[in-house]
Amino acid sequence: MEEGAADLRQRKKQNCTETDKMAPDERNKENPNLGRSPKYVLFQRFAKLFFGCVAAVTSGMMYAVYLSTYHERKFWFSSRQELEREITFQGDSAIYYSFYKELLKAPSFERGVYELTHNNKTVSLRTINAVQQMTLYPELIASVLYQASGSEEVIEPVYFYIGIVFGLQGIYMAALFVTSWVMSGTWLAGMLTIAWFIINRTDTTRIDYSIPLRENWALPYFACQVAALTGYLKNNIHSSAERFCYLLVSASTYTFMMMWEYSHYLLFVQAVSLFLLDSFALVQTDKVHEVYKIYLFSLFLGYLLQFENPSLLVSPLLSLVAALMLSKCLQMNMKKGTFISRMLKIMYFYLVFTISVTMNFLLKTFVPHKENEHVLKFLEVKFGLNTTKNFTVNWLLCQESLQTPSQDFFLRLTQSSLLPFYILVLIICLSSVTQVIFRRISGEPLKEKITLDDGRIGERPEIAYHVIHTMLMGSLAMMLEGIKYLWTPYMCMLAAFGVCSPELWMTLFKWLRLRAVHPILLALILSMAVPSIIGFSLWKEYFPRIMTELSELQEFYDSDTVELMMWVKRQAPVAAVFAGSPHLMGMIKLCTGWMVTSLPLYNDVDLLQRNENIYQIYSKRSAEDIYKILTSYKATYLIIEDSICNEVGPVKGCRVKDLLDIANGHVVCDEGDSYAYSKYGRFCHEIKMNYSPYVNYFTRVYWNRSYFVYKINTVISFQS
């Protein structure tokens, strides 16, 4: 018996040995990649990376060409004179481009920068640092590139300027392409992202009608930062790739902060996302703290290079990051397992909130800065905590970008199929992330490497980050419609990633416990079939519309404004100072170079007060009151716009003259009805009648269908 048992064990051992020898051959047959050389695998990865990068760059270049072609068709730019081209830059865009022109006209770059930092030729009775106050670093860079590249004899300044902006939009597209590609692992997601972005262009960008806006210069860098951060947060990333992503995050964060005065608010939302990600132990803590250090370095360097800009020191981003690092330091210095360390872990959220609020209060107390009280009042009224008759606050409330999104916004996103797929992807990813959070609370560690068969897409830290970030941005967009230009592009990216990701479909099938069909095979099929069907339907419905846009010649010609600017350049003296609506004053400054009393900028308390005072020309006040207001700003000419004076807005209470009547107490409300009452008629109407006392203070010197120009008399005659 013992000998038989020994023989049996020997035969089993031999059979096992033969099986082990045969296993590699069988596995090689089942999966040919296992038997291939490392050089072949490396070449395959390089080819995939190379062609993916080519696809991203090509997509970005095609989008830039598309924008240039559309802009030419819309404005007939190449066939216009310089003045007619400049009129297409309206509002605050006109101000930014006017300083670009001044830099090119300066005898040297250094002299041009000095004149901008000590500018007393733009706003009457004020010397401003235009570079700091209006964030003119894009114009500085554009002027340097234009002169250093020797482009003066090759291309006109305006084409060079808008060409840079369109090029940055191409980088924006490439960054969104790369982000969705990195998350899903397929180029198809990048192509679908760009398709959705272009189709929903009305809600993804304002580049169509306002090229020089700061956000058009800044958001491409933020998109690059998000793409690099996505790669940086990934698990099991190669050390060289991680280092590259870290450097790109650092460079793009600082550049983004220098390009836009509101950039630190957007980075604050991102920092909150990373804080929540770290609090629930969904990411490596060291990586998050490295990003915090990048924030601090960018804030410090930006503070120095932005002429010691105090708004960066009192920003919520600095307070939050400092509180996070201090709170973490307190936790790390406590011995693990002690009662105090456990209490700190439980009270971590409260500790961070308390320290950040206290630090922000102390910074605002000791750092000299201009407090934006109108912003606080706006928020109070916006959320129903207060009511006000203040003109500036009510005017801000009436701006479309600061109102809640309309139903048309959601209808457009639904018609393009973006919103339904975004909601589907968000629900699956959010549910998976929630499951991971509960596992972490129960003490279960995260898996170092997640396979497709696991069906746990929420355990990927970059996915969890984007879920939290897009939810925060979406919450803000539900309150302020202007945030949609920040949120909708990432809706396109997240929705495209989801429908192209086999992991997302596998996560869904794990929950459904699908057994009729092999779940991995079905997930791979759907990750190719669903985006292909979406792409084909979008191509069939929207491609003809886009081609029609590019083929149609649209007419944009404002003859009245052109005539007004020509008159100002020919007839007005060099020392003239013009008063009128801020929107028109921006065009006056750009097209003529003459000094104005106000500008269409809303981040300065003094300029906001000036705007309100100058707008009194459309109120029911006496000629003497208006004369005193205008002469207090040394104005010599007044321009009345018929479109404002006779405005018939869709919302009666949001017309400029209605807001002025409310602020001046010229509207009496009784039992829900409002009655207008004033001792004087509306100034913009009465001055056109040419009777005393209006003719004593003002002399009409030019008019057309849209504008009436009056010279403000220096010697007042009271002859009737």
Side-chain angles (χ1 to χ4, degrees):
M1 290 290 294
E2 292 180 359
E3 290 179 359
D7 292 340
L8 182 61
R9 285 195 298 268
Q10 184 67 23
R11 285 195 300 270
K12 286 183 178 180
K13 185 176 180 181
Q14 291 176 355
N15 292 335
C16 291
T17 305
E18 292 175 0
T19 303
D20 292 338
K21 289 180 180 179
M22 292 295 295
D25 295 334
E26 294 176 358
R27 287 197 298 267
N28 289 341
K29 291 178 182 178
E30 293 176 0
N31 190 354
N33 287 333
L34 293 176
R36 290 171 180 173
S37 64
K39 290 184 178 181
Y40 178 83
V41 175
L42 183 63
F43 173 78
Q44 191 178 27
R45 291 179 180 176
F46 174 78
K48 183 180 179 181
L49 178 64
F50 174 77
F51 287 109
C53 292
V54 169
V57 173
T58 303
S59 300
M61 292 176 63
M62 291 180 65
Y63 179 67
V65 172
Y66 163 75
L67 287 178
S68 179
T69 306
Y70 178 76
H71 182 262
E72 172 64 27
R73 292 289 182 176
K74 182 177 181 180
F75 296 109
W76 294 18
F77 222 60
S78 59
S79 60
R80 300 293 189 190
Q81 299 296 323
E82 182 180 5
L83 178 61
E84 296 169 349
R85 292 173 182 172
E86 291 176 349
I87 287 177
T88 62
F89 299 111
Q90 300 186 3
D92 49 353
S93 298
I95 295 299
Y96 297 131
Y97 185 74
S98 70
F99 288 119
Y100 169 71
K101 282 180 58 179
E102 290 185 12
L103 280 169
L104 295 181
K105 291 179 181 179
S108 65
F109 178 74
E110 293 79 8
R111 181 63 186 175
V113 174
Y114 178 81
E115 290 178 354
L116 290 185
T117 54
H118 302 79
N119 187 285
N120 58 0
K121 299 179 181 179
T122 299
V123 182
S124 61
L125 302 180
R126 276 198 67 179
T127 299
I128 61 175
N129 184 343
V131 178
Q132 180 197 42
Q133 187 165 346
M134 303 178 194
T135 320
L136 296 180
Y137 294 96
E139 283 65 35
L140 295 179
I141 296 172
S143 62
V144 168
L145 292 176
Y146 184 73
Q147 294 172 337
S149 61
S151 302
E152 294 93 335
E153 300 178 358
V154 180
I155 187 173
E156 296 180 50
V158 64
Y159 279 111
F160 188 84
Y161 185 88
I162 64 177
I164 292 179
V165 181
F166 290 157
L168 285 173
Q169 300 310 300
I171 295 175
Y172 192 2
M173 287 297 95
L176 292 176
F177 183 105
V178 170
T179 305
S180 57
W181 174 25
V182 169
M183 294 172 65
S184 64
T186 175
W187 314 335
L188 196 57
M191 302 299 293
L192 188 56
T193 299
I194 293 178
W196 265 327
F197 186 97
I198 295 176
I199 290 169
N200 295 281
R201 196 177 68 251
T202 305
D203 303 304
T204 55
T205 179
R206 292 194 286 182
I207 190 71
D208 287 359
Y209 51 88
S210 198
I211 293 175
L213 283 180
R214 301 300 83 178
E215 64 191 60
N216 292 333
W217 287 88
L219 289 181
Y221 296 102
F222 183 67
C224 291
Q225 191 250 28
V226 171
L229 184 62
T230 302
Y232 182 68
L233 294 177
K234 287 174 69 73
N235 291 329
N236 303 314
I237 185 174
H238 194 272
S239 59
S240 58
E242 182 178 337
R243 193 178 303 111
F244 172 77
C245 291
Y246 176 81
L247 293 175
L248 185 56
V249 169
S250 303
S252 54
T253 300
Y254 169 70
T255 308
F256 174 59
M257 193 171 292
M258 295 294 290
M259 293 290 169
W260 196 16
E261 66 267 29
Y262 300 118
S263 58
H264 54 88
Y265 293 111
L266 190 53
L267 292 175
F268 170 75
V269 176
Q270 187 182 71
V272 172
S273 305
L274 293 173
F275 160 60
L276 295 175
L277 201 67
D278 183 35
S279 300
F280 295 121
L282 300 174
V283 69
Q284 298 177 27
T285 302
D286 294 340
K287 288 187 176 183
V288 174
H289 277 253
E290 289 298 323
V291 179
Y292 292 161
K293 292 176 184 178
I294 292 174
Y295 290 151
L296 292 177
F297 175 77
S298 299
L299 284 168
F300 175 72
L301 194 59
Y303 170 76
L304 295 178
L305 296 183
Q306 290 185 17
F307 306 92
E308 298 182 356
N309 187 0
S311 64
L312 295 181
L313 292 183
V314 299
S315 68
L317 176 63
L318 178 61
S319 303
L320 175 64
V321 173
L324 288 170
M325 300 192 75
L326 182 60
S327 302
K328 209 67 178 180
C329 183
L330 290 174
Q331 281 189 330
M332 292 174 63
N333 290 333
M334 291 292 174
K335 291 183 178 180
K336 294 183 178 180
T338 62
F339 176 76
I340 298 178
S341 70
R342 291 174 181 172
M343 288 298 298
L344 282 176
K345 192 170 184 179
I346 295 173
M347 300 178 63
Y348 183 53
F349 286 91
Y350 176 77
L351 187 65
V352 170
F353 176 78
T354 304
I355 295 177
S356 60
V357 171
T358 304
M359 186 171 293
N360 191 257
F361 174 78
L362 293 176
L363 287 172
K364 288 185 175 180
T365 302
F366 294 103
V367 176
H369 70 288
K370 293 182 179 180
E371 186 67 51
N372 294 325
E373 294 182 1
H374 65 282
V375 177
L376 298 178
K377 291 180 180 178
F378 165 78
L379 294 176
E380 288 180 358
V381 179
K382 177 71 176 178
F383 297 115
L385 303 177
N386 199 355
T387 58
T388 182
K389 294 183 177 181
N390 182 273
F391 171 82
T392 300
V393 174
N394 287 327
W395 184 83
L396 290 174
L397 287 168
C398 287
Q399 298 306 298
E400 184 180 354
S401 60
L402 298 178
Q403 296 180 359
T404 55
S406 63
Q407 292 182 356
D408 292 339
F409 167 63
F410 299 103
L411 181 61
R412 288 191 297 268
L413 297 185
T414 303
Q415 289 175 340
S416 65
S417 72
L418 173 59
L419 186 60
F421 283 105
Y422 169 77
I423 294 175
L424 172 65
V425 172
L426 182 62
I427 290 175
I428 295 174
C429 291
L430 179 60
S431 301
S432 182
V433 170
T434 305
Q435 283 184 336
V436 174
I437 292 174
F438 280 112
R439 292 194 194 103
R440 296 295 293 148
I441 293 175
S442 62
E444 181 181 337
L446 294 176
K447 295 184 66 174
E448 293 185 3
K449 189 172 183 179
I450 303 169
T451 62
L452 180 60
D453 189 53
D454 293 329
R456 293 185 179 184
I457 196 170
E459 288 196 9
R460 291 173 55 185
E462 70 274 19
I463 305 300
Y465 158 71
H466 280 289
V467 168
I468 298 173
H469 194 189
T470 191
M471 289 181 63
L472 292 177
M473 294 297 297
S475 301
L476 293 174
M478 292 302 101
M479 295 181 287
L480 304 172
E481 187 170 1
I483 304 295
K484 72 179 182 181
Y485 298 108
L486 307 176
W487 180 48
T488 313
Y490 294 98
M491 289 179 65
C492 300
M493 181 268 296
L494 193 69
F497 137 75
V499 298
C500 296
S501 173
E503 289 182 72
L504 182 128
W505 296 111
M506 192 63 195
T507 302
L508 178 61
F509 296 154
K510 280 286 185 179
W511 294 338
L512 299 177
R513 297 181 180 179
L514 185 65
R515 295 177 181 177
V517 184
H518 197 286
I520 295 180
L521 178 61
L522 185 58
L524 292 171
I525 293 174
L526 287 179
S527 65
M528 294 293 293
V530 173
S532 298
I533 294 172
I534 295 172
F536 178 76
S537 62
L538 294 178
W539 175 278
K540 184 178 180 181
E541 182 175 355
Y542 290 96
F543 182 74
R545 301 184 190 179
I546 294 174
M547 297 308 296
T548 302
E549 285 182 352
L550 296 179
S551 60
E552 286 183 350
L553 287 174
Q554 303 180 37
E555 178 65 31
F556 178 86
Y557 186 71
D558 190 349
S559 59
D560 291 343
T561 305
V562 172
E563 292 172 4
L564 172 65
M565 298 304 163
M566 293 295 294
W567 181 89
V568 172
K569 295 178 72 172
R570 293 172 180 172
Q571 301 296 329
V574 178
V577 179
F578 284 85
S581 70
H583 179 86
L584 180 61
M585 293 303 99
M587 285 195 288
I588 289 282
K589 175 60 183 172
L590 168 59
C591 299
T592 68
W594 265 248
M595 190 177 293
V596 296
T597 56
S598 58
L599 292 175
L601 300 172
Y602 312 108
N603 58 354
D604 184 271
V605 177
D606 179 63
L607 286 177
L608 285 171
Q609 186 60 50
R610 280 176 176 247
N611 293 346
E612 180 177 352
N613 292 338
I614 299 300
Y615 265 132
Q616 296 297 325
I617 61 179
Y618 300 104
S619 67
K620 296 180 178 181
R621 296 183 63 172
S622 67
E624 182 180 1
D625 289 346
I626 302 298
Y627 180 82
K628 288 180 179 179
I629 292 173
L630 296 176
T631 53
S632 68
Y633 294 119
K634 301 299 180 183
T636 56
Y637 287 88
L638 168 65
I639 303 178
I640 300 289
E641 295 177 65
D642 201 52
S643 59
I644 299 179
C645 188
N646 299 318
E647 182 180 5
V648 182
V651 182
K652 184 178 179 180
C654 280
R655 297 179 299 182
V656 169
K657 53 187 179 182
D658 295 334
L659 298 176
L660 289 168
D661 290 344
I662 293 172
N664 296 334
H666 295 156
V667 173
V668 179
C669 296
D670 183 20
E671 296 181 359
D673 297 325
S674 59
Y675 303 94
Y677 170 78
S678 176
K679 184 179 178 181
Y680 306 98
R682 197 167 301 281
F683 177 82
C684 62
H685 287 153
E686 300 297 323
I687 194 175
K688 297 176 185 177
M689 303 299 180
N690 287 328
Y691 62 80
S692 182
Y694 296 93
V695 295
N696 302 326
Y697 295 101
F698 308 96
T699 302
R700 188 167 65 186
V701 293
Y702 174 80
W703 71 94
N704 59 29
R705 291 174 300 177
S706 303
Y707 303 101
F708 295 80
V709 183
Y710 296 87
K711 188 178 187 301
I712 302 173
N713 299 331
T714 53
V715 178
I716 305 174
S717 173
F718 287 96
Q719 298 177 1
S720 57

